């Protein structure tokens, strides 16, 4: 990690701001007025750029004052931790994709099975959780609170 | 509750659109009933008129058929999200929804390709005319005053009630157009629904508002705002002293929004007619009549082919208006 | 209307029973992620048909009051704010409960909420006509200034780095621009996804920013990192400590509760804005502002008192004009109208009993909330005893169901994921999260009102000062912002010269 964190953050924010301005190009105008839906995105993008420059300035100031970048050490993460991170992200994305197809019970059971493993539980615990929790949560949200959770493949057995 | 249902009085149907559905067509097997929970999609948020009507109907259907009717508010995209969800669901009778007048407007303004042929209409349960409201301090006494002033000072007056191109905006622009005026001669100030628009009206931010009559009723009753007219052809019991535009205006312009219960495209006849019978019976109960009266609305019901024809006519009329006022895509 | 007569109605077994049941129901719903006060009230409506008007109003009032408080419970225990109103101080309450004081924190918050609620009712009962007069003059000009003033809270809720605070605020504002714009109805940054047209929903956004980012951080700690079990203190010592904590800060409670009631009564600002402003004001006047956002109970007290007071305040426009201040009061108006009661100035003369019973129910609901809220806190804190391998997966699943419950579709889960990743990035970048949430909450209000005002005045900026209330609010807002920017610039560049 040779790049200072401040510079990376500043660059990302400026890139985001440019993307916002670029995206706002095609917005229509209000009739007979010099601005429209593009006004606020452009003001916000401007604010992002100023803030980003401020963050970069802070970084330069820290270098000049000889303060060490403490981010490098803190960000050293193990492969296992990185895998867990990616695992959770994949679980959320997977749940979003599978929920309408498989239905709540199956999708929730799969999520729990994997999540318990990621957070360090053993297979037995994962199995118990996957079988029991979806039923309880389904009762609370679907039967009591009338939240329409999809049935998916279990539709023939729906109640 | 059950006993109340049994002894429910069958009240005569009020209003212009009577429940004269061709019951001969219903004579075939209409004995389908749901045996598990039904999802009732509402394309608008909790607290609004569509939500209130649909939740009331859902509860009464639930009592009738003994399975849960779960209301889900699928808001977004000025109604497109919810309407698409209704249209695209399985037509197995386990998903129904509140299709509203926007099914006749949103495809004209280019929001979506979805139109009334993509759903199966079951029954019309509510008709709400647009109102013409001014603040209690307003110099205008009649709708004629407003139009005369706007004719002489185009662009001076402002009005609000919903988003740009929303149904209550069409009510105003369509009225101005029908009266031979520039639809822009009263400027439209968009708002997120009726409540902020009425707040603007009271605070003096806009000169007039044209929201749903039911939304403005409480303020009219309290004297904070005055109703100059409402865009209907027959007077309603809720506001007997306020003129209807059909009489007050030369053009006879009217505009009323409607709420239906509808199913997805291609719903089998036996399911839709079972629903239609059930809903029609519900609209004839005392309980429903009381609910309607509390909202200043009238009991209406139209079902089946008659409703399809009504939606088709509305679609053409609104399309003409949208094109005339320059909002068509 | 004398007090005794009201009390005799409210303590009638039927009404008291209704209130008790509804506080339990509200506490349960509020403590569940994704189940909001609005949803709780909407589900209550069919039951109100069998009730008389007084009972129906009491039921709605009791449910809302406790649901708003109970939002603190999932916020403190799981870092999932139950309602947007709890978001302002979720960082503090969560950290406090992580350091072994979950019950003390929640009981302090309960005492503050109850007290805030009672003060709110008292103000409501005595000052509704005056508050109504104030809210009567609120057009888009005033609402714009109020929201812009609210944005200045970002400086107080953030961290030590000024540019990072502003970057966080602007990120939140950028998120708020997603969706159809108010002026011409053009979809912005939606990439053709219809369900984004109404903008990013607050609840999934908060779940993503707070809960998912926390889960991701936890998972990144890795399995090898030894995660000690969390401590839950004994019930009675917790109540005692909480009471002591609360008694020390009664001045905060009075300040935040009265402010919260007024903000709640204003159109366009609800319990969430009230909590943010109370939190920021509290930090501004605190002797230990540096402790805020790191687990400081003072902010929890102020925010908790303000949002429950605002719940009472929101009834002002509803009762006086029939204009709903939020979706809960919108449903409440519908229910009252079904009972043949039309909200409006006349309701104070025609249905005096009802109006004061609503106030009385508010009062009773707050008192009974001590009992039911306390019960739910005592039970809910047990979940912290659950091993992390069980708790974390459950939080993950609950977060996603909670989001789904709000939108009725998986779009909420995608929002949770996107904002969870965004928040993780921000944490890595050393940015505070609170200003971003503030930006998401207020961004739309600021822009919509600005655009509406501009359309009314046809682009004439001086119109923002043309009305009396607007001129006062506008001048105040500009002064506050000028002072903040000057101070920020001065400290930024002043620091640089000193460090050279």
């Amino acid at each position: 990690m040779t790049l200072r964190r401040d510079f990376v953050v500043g660059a990302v924010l400026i890139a985001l701001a440019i993307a916002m301005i670029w995206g706002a190009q095609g917005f229509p105008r209000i009739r007979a007025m010099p601005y429209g839906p593009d006004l606020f995105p452009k003001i916000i993008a401007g604010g992002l750029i100023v803030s980003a420059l401020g963050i970069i300035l802070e970084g330069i100031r820290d270098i000049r004052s000889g303060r060490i970048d403490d981010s490098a050490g803190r960000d050293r993460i193990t492969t296992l931790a990185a895998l867990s991170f990616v695992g959770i992200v994949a679980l959320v994305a997977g749940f979003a994709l599978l929920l309408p197809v498989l239905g709540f019970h199956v999708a929730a059971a799969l999520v729990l099975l994997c999540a318990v493993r990621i957070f360090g539980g053993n297979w037995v615990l994962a199995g118990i959780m996957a079988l029991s929790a979806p039923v309880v949560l389904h009762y609370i949200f679907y039967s009591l609170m009338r939240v329409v959770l999809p049935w998916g493949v279990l539709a023939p057995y729906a109640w | 509750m059950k006993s109340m249902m049994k002894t429910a009085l069958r009240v005569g149907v009020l209003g212009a659109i009577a429940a004269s559905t061709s019951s001969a067509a219903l004579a075939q097997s209409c004995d389908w009933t749901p045996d598990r929970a039904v999802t009732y999609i509402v394309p608008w948020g909790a607290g609004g008129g569509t939500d209130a009507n649909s939740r009331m109907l859902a509860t009464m259907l639930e009592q009738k058929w003994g399975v849960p009717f779960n209301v889900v508010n699928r808001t977004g995209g000025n109604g497109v999200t919810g309407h698409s969800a209704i249209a695209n669901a399985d037509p197995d009778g386990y998903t129904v929804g509140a299709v509203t007048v926007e099914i006749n407007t949103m495809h004209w303004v280019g929001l979506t390709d979805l139109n009334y042929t993509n759903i199966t209409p079951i029954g019309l349960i509510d008709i709400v005319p647009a109102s013409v409201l001014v603040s209690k301090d307003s110099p205008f006494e009649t709708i004629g005053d407003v139009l005369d002033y706007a004719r002489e000072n185009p662009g001076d007056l402002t009005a609000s009630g919903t988003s740009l191109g929303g149904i209550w905006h069409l009510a105003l622009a369509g009225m101005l157009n029908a009266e031979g005026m520039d639809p822009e001669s009263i400027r439209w100030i968009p708002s997120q629904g009726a409540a902020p628009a009425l707040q603007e009206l009271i605070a003096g931010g806009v000169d007039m508002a044209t929201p749903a009559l039911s939304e403005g009723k409480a303020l009219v009753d309290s004297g904070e705002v005055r109703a100059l007219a409402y865009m209907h052809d027959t007077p309603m019991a809720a506001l007997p002293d306020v003129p209807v535009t059909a009489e007050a205006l030369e053009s006879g312009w009217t505009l009323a929004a409607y709420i239906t219960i509808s199913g997805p495209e291609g719903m089998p006849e036996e399911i839709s007619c079972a629903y239609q019978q059930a809903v029609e019976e519900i609209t004839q109960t005392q309980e429903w009549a009381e609910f309607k009266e509390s909202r200043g609305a009238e009991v209406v019901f139209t079902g089946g082919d008659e409703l399809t024809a009504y939606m088709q006519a509305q679609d053409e009329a609104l399309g003409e208006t949208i094109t005339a006022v320059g909002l068509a895509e | 209307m004398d007090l005794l007569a009201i009390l005799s109605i409210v303590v009638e077994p039927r009404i008291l029973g209704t209130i008790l049941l509804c506080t339990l129901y509200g506490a349960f719903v509020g403590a569940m992620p994704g189940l909001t006060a609005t949803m709780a009230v909407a589900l209550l409506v069919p039951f109100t048909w069998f009730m008389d008007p007084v009972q129906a109003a009491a039921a709605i009032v009791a449910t809302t009051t406790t649901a708003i408080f109970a939002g603190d419970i999932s916020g403190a225990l799981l870092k999932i704010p139950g309602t947007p109103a709890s978001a302002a101080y979720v960082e503090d309450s969560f950290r406090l409960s992580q350091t072994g004081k979950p019950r003390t924190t929640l009981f302090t918050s309960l005492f503050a909420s109850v007290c805030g609620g009672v003060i709110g009712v008292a103000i409501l009962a005595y000052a509704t006509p005056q508050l109504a007069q104030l809210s009567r003059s609120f057009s888009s000009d005033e609402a714009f200034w109020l929201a812009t003033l609210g944005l200045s809270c970002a400086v107080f809720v953030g961290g030590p780095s000024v540019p990072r605070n502003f970057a966080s605020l602007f990120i939140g504002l950028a998120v708020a621009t997603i969706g159809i714009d108010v002026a011409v109805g053009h979809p912005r940054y939606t990439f053709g996804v219809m369900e984004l047209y109404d903008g990013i929903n607050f609840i999934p956004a908060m779940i993503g920013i707070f809960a998912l980012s926390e889960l991701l951080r936890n998972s990144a700690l890795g399995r090898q990192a030894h995660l000690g079990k969390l401590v839950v203190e004994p019930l009675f010592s917790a109540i005692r400590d909480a009471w002591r904590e609360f008694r020390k800060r009664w001045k905060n409670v009075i300040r935040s509760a009265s402010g919260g009631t007024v903000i709640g009564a204003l159109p366009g600002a609800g319990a969430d804005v009230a909590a943010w402003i109370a939190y920021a004001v509290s930090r501004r006047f605190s002797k230990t502002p540096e402790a805020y956002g790191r687990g400081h109970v003072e902010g929890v007290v102020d925010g908790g008192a303000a949002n429950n007071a605002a719940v009472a305040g929101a009834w002002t426009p509803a009762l006086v004009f029939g204009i709903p201040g939020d979706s809960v009061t919108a449903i409440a108006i519908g229910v009252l109208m079904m009972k043949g009661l039309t909200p409006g100035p006349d309701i104070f003369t025609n249905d005096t009993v009802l109006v004061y019973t609503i106030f009385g129910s508010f009062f009773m609901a707050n008192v009974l909330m001590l009992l039911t809220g306390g019960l739910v806190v005592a039970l809910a804190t047990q979940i912290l005893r659950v091993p992390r391998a069980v708790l974390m997966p459950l939080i993950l699943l609950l977060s996603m169901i909670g989001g789904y419950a709000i939108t009725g579709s998986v779009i909420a889960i995608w929002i949770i994921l996107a904002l969870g990743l965004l928040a993780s990035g921000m944490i890595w970048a050393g940015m505070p999260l609170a200003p971003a949430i503030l930006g998401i909450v207020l961004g739309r209000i600021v822009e919509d009102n600005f655009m509406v005002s501009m359309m009314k005045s046809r682009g004439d900026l001086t119109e923002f000062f043309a009305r009396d209330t607007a001129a006062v609010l506008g001048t105040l807002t500009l002064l506050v912002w000028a002072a903040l920017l000057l101070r920020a610039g001065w400290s930024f560049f002043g620091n640089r010269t000193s460090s050279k």
Side-chain angles (χ1 to χ4, degrees):
Chain A
M1 192 115 164
T2 48
L3 270 175
R4 285 192 60 91
R5 189 173 53 145
D6 292 343
F7 300 154
V8 179
V9 172
V12 170
L13 288 179
I14 290 173
L16 178 72
I18 291 171
M20 272 186 86
I21 294 174
W22 181 76
Q25 290 308 321
F27 292 172
R29 289 281 158 86
I30 309 173
R31 199 182 310 174
M33 260 190 252
Y35 43 73
D38 57 335
L39 177 69
F40 270 73
K42 282 177 180 163
I43 292 176
I44 293 163
L48 276 174
I49 291 174
V50 173
S51 313
L53 292 177
I55 292 172
I56 292 172
L57 264 177
E58 273 190 342
I60 295 173
R61 196 173 65 186
D62 285 355
I63 292 178
R64 287 204 183 155
S65 64
R67 235 178 287 172
I68 352 145
D69 184 3
D70 58 347
S71 63
R74 208 189 60 190
D75 292 327
R76 188 147 307 155
I77 38 173
T78 61
T79 326
L80 189 66
L83 274 178
S84 304
F85 187 98
V86 174
I88 303 276
V89 172
L91 272 185
V92 176
F95 189 72
L97 291 173
L98 294 179
L99 183 64
V101 186
L102 295 181
F104 174 74
H105 293 88
V106 181
L110 287 176
V111 164
L112 286 174
L113 205 63
C114 303
V116 172
R117 292 291 298 155
I118 291 176
F119 285 103
N122 58 27
W123 281 112
V124 179
L125 182 66
I128 295 171
M129 288 275 290
L131 288 179
S132 59
V135 180
V136 176
L137 289 174
H138 189 266
Y139 178 75
I140 294 175
F141 279 85
Y142 182 87
S143 301
L144 288 183
M145 296 307 299
R146 303 294 189 87
V147 173
V148 183
L149 297 170
W151 283 94
V153 290
L154 293 181
Y157 313 100
W159 60 81
Chain B
M1 192 69 227
K2 285 251 166 68
S3 64
M4 205 176 144
M5 290 287 297
K6 273 180 208 151
T7 59
L9 286 164
R10 296 222 156 193
V11 293
V13 176
L14 312 161
I17 298 165
S20 59
T21 329
S22 46
S23 27
L26 302 178
Q28 54 171 340
S29 69
C30 288
D31 45 9
W32 180 88
T33 52
D35 52 15
R36 60 179 171 89
V38 176
T39 302
Y40 198 131
I41 298 172
V42 175
W44 309 96
T50 309
D51 183 67
N53 273 283
S54 303
R55 280 183 192 269
M56 182 76 189
L57 184 60
T59 309
M60 293 180 77
L61 279 168
E62 189 168 312
Q63 284 158 0
K64 192 174 189 66
W65 277 339
V67 295
F69 271 72
N70 298 326
V71 175
V72 50
N73 299 92
R74 289 288 302 274
T75 59
N78 290 342
V80 176
T81 308
H83 281 104
S84 312
I86 298 168
N88 298 330
D90 256 353
D92 57 2
Y94 291 99
T95 307
V96 291
V99 166
T100 59
V101 68
E102 280 75 11
I103 192 109
N104 294 145
T105 62
M106 50 196 188
H107 68 98
W108 291 109
V109 298
L111 274 172
T112 173
D113 293 331
L114 203 73
N115 64 41
Y116 69 95
T117 60
N118 299 113
I119 51 114
T120 306
I122 293 170
L124 178 128
I125 57 165
D126 192 43
I127 285 198
V128 211
S131 56
V132 180
L133 307 178
V134 294
S135 147
K136 66 175 177 192
D137 317 314
S138 168
F140 302 116
E141 294 294 335
T142 66
I143 187 163
D145 294 351
V146 178
L147 294 180
D148 289 344
Y149 185 89
R151 206 173 271 130
E152 281 155 31
N153 310 282
D156 254 23
L157 296 180
T158 51
S160 189
T162 185
S163 61
L164 204 79
I167 188 72
W168 311 120
H169 177 202
L170 290 180
L172 176 76
M175 176 174 78
L176 295 174
N177 180 61
E179 289 290 298
M181 298 161 67
D182 177 6
E184 297 275 324
S185 55
I186 297 178
R187 286 181 297 131
W188 189 256
I189 306 300
S191 75
Q192 309 273 11
L198 291 168
Q199 173 68 37
E200 281 287 329
L201 185 67
I202 290 180
V206 292
D207 299 300
M208 59 187 285
T210 54
L213 183 63
S214 54
E215 303 274 6
K217 184 177 171 281
L219 283 166
V220 173
D221 289 349
S222 73
E224 282 293 324
V225 306
R226 285 184 285 124
L228 299 185
Y230 54 99
M231 304 188 186
H232 212 29
D233 37 20
T234 45
M236 295 172 79
L239 293 169
D241 304 330
V242 179
V244 292
T245 50
E247 288 160 16
L249 296 179
E250 272 176 44
S251 60
W253 167 263
T254 61
L255 188 138
Y258 62 84
I259 301 169
T260 70
I261 170 174
S262 298
E265 187 173 4
M267 191 185 239
E269 177 75 26
E270 55 156 350
I271 299 178
S272 66
C273 88
Y275 266 108
Q276 190 181 326
Q277 265 182 359
V279 174
E280 185 168 7
E281 275 170 36
I282 286 170
T283 57
Q284 288 163 357
T285 60
Q286 180 71 35
E287 206 182 346
W288 182 260
E290 278 168 9
F291 165 73
K292 281 294 184 184
E293 199 192 337
S294 79
R295 302 189 60 83
E298 321 228 301
V299 175
V300 289
F301 182 83
T302 312
D305 299 338
E306 217 175 317
L307 176 55
T308 312
Y310 175 78
M311 287 170 98
Q312 191 178 353
Q314 287 277 314
D315 202 72
E316 283 160 15
L318 286 166
E320 272 171 34
T321 305
I322 290 168
T323 313
V325 303
L327 285 165
E329 188 81 347
Chain C
M1 202 59 206
D2 66 314
L3 221 65
L4 235 75
I6 303 159
L7 266 179
S8 69
I9 300 175
V10 188
V11 296
E12 195 186 311
R14 197 171 39 97
I15 303 286
L16 202 62
T18 309
I19 295 178
L20 190 69
L21 270 179
C22 287
T23 52
L24 265 176
Y25 166 67
F28 165 76
V29 175
M32 294 297 280
L35 300 182
T36 58
T38 309
M39 206 185 280
V41 173
L43 286 172
L44 198 67
V45 170
F47 296 96
T48 60
W49 296 334
F50 319 113
M51 303 178 182
D52 61 50
V54 169
Q55 204 183 356
I60 294 176
V61 159
T63 305
T64 339
T65 309
T66 31
I68 293 284
F69 158 69
D72 294 2
I73 298 178
S74 54
L77 300 182
L78 313 175
K79 213 179 179 183
I80 305 175
T83 62
S86 306
Y89 48 91
V90 69
E91 199 78 53
D92 288 278
S93 60
F94 180 70
R95 293 212 189 178
L96 278 168
S97 72
Q98 290 290 299
T99 55
K101 289 198 281 185
R103 282 181 169 164
T104 316
T105 311
L106 282 171
F107 273 108
T108 314
S109 160
L110 176 64
F111 293 145
S113 298
V114 167
C115 198
V118 170
I119 294 174
V121 185
I123 296 177
L124 188 64
Y126 283 99
T128 300
Q130 284 82 348
L131 282 177
Q133 213 47 47
L134 182 63
S135 72
R136 195 178 191 280
S137 62
F138 256 62
S139 75
S140 57
D141 302 347
E142 288 84 3
F144 166 75
W145 286 122
L146 186 72
T148 312
L149 190 62
L151 279 185
S152 68
C153 295
V155 180
F156 300 113
V157 297
S161 162
V162 176
R164 280 186 161 79
N165 288 345
F166 278 104
S168 175
L169 176 67
F170 283 117
I171 288 174
L173 289 171
V175 171
T177 61
I178 294 173
I180 288 185
D181 95 289
V182 70
V184 295
H186 185 77
R188 298 186 300 197
Y189 310 116
T190 52
F191 308 103
V193 180
M194 274 290 170
E195 290 184 87
L196 289 180
Y197 276 29
D198 271 4
I200 300 285
N201 196 302
F202 294 146
I203 305 265
M206 284 189 322
I207 292 177
I209 290 180
F210 289 117
L212 186 63
S213 70
E214 183 70 19
L215 283 166
L216 288 171
R217 198 180 63 83
N218 259 303
S219 75
L221 288 177
R223 251 187 280 180
Q224 74 279 43
H226 191 71
L227 298 167
K229 240 189 205 165
L230 288 167
V231 189
V232 179
E233 67 278 49
L235 192 59
F236 288 102
S237 72
I239 295 176
R240 198 187 55 224
D241 290 352
W243 179 246
R244 207 174 290 149
E245 201 65 61
F246 167 74
R247 249 194 1 201
K248 260 196 307 202
R249 310 194 190 283
W250 60 272
K251 278 185 196 147
N252 295 42
V253 173
I254 291 178
R255 182 187 60 208
S256 297
S258 31
T261 317
V262 175
I263 294 168
L266 299 176
D272 42 356
V273 180
W276 282 104
I277 293 184
Y279 184 87
V281 169
S282 163
R283 182 169 175 176
R284 177 73 190 80
F285 289 105
S286 172
K287 291 190 191 86
T288 50
E290 68 283 350
Y292 281 68
R294 298 181 184 170
H296 194 37
V297 77
E298 204 167 338
V300 179
V301 169
D302 276 289
N307 60 23
N308 270 65
V311 171
W315 281 74
T316 305
L319 282 177
V320 180
F321 300 135
I323 291 184
D326 52 21
S327 43
V328 170
T329 42
I331 299 172
I333 290 175
V335 170
L336 288 181
M337 284 171 74
M338 271 182 66
K339 304 287 175 196
L341 301 159
T342 307
D346 294 343
I347 203 171
F348 286 93
T349 44
N350 297 346
D351 299 289
T352 326
V353 182
L354 176 87
V355 173
Y356 283 95
T357 331
I358 291 181
F359 298 157
S361 314
F362 251 121
F363 179 77
M364 280 316 287
N366 275 294
V367 174
L368 289 177
M369 190 168 88
L370 270 181
L371 205 75
T372 46
L375 188 73
V376 172
V377 168
L379 290 175
T381 40
Q382 295 293 347
I383 66 161
L384 288 186
R385 297 219 165 103
V386 172
R388 292 218 168 199
V390 175
L391 188 57
M392 292 294 161
L394 276 180
I395 298 177
L396 180 67
L397 189 56
L398 263 178
S399 306
M400 295 192 288
I401 307 176
Y404 189 91
I406 296 293
T407 60
S409 70
V410 292
I411 187 75
I413 300 172
W414 292 114
I415 294 176
I416 291 173
L417 182 60
L419 291 190
L421 287 173
L422 176 72
S424 296
M426 286 169 68
I427 292 169
W428 174 80
M431 282 184 215
L433 296 177
I437 288 279
L438 191 69
I440 296 177
V441 171
L442 287 180
R444 265 302 159 108
I445 306 181
V446 172
E447 180 179 3
D448 287 4
N449 285 303
F450 178 83
M451 285 298 172
V452 163
S453 287
M454 285 292 90
M455 290 177 84
K456 283 192 298 197
S457 72
R458 293 188 241 197
D460 182 3
L461 280 167
T462 58
E463 279 292 311
F464 275 111
F465 296 96
R467 299 157 54 94
D468 290 347
T469 330
V472 173
L473 264 176
T475 315
L476 182 72
T477 309
L478 289 183
L479 284 176
V480 167
W481 270 103
L484 284 176
L485 289 177
L486 276 177
R487 212 185 56 162
W490 184 78
S491 75
F492 186 74
F493 290 106
N495 246 342
R496 190 169 65 152
T497 27
S498 70
S499 62
K500 256 180 189 171

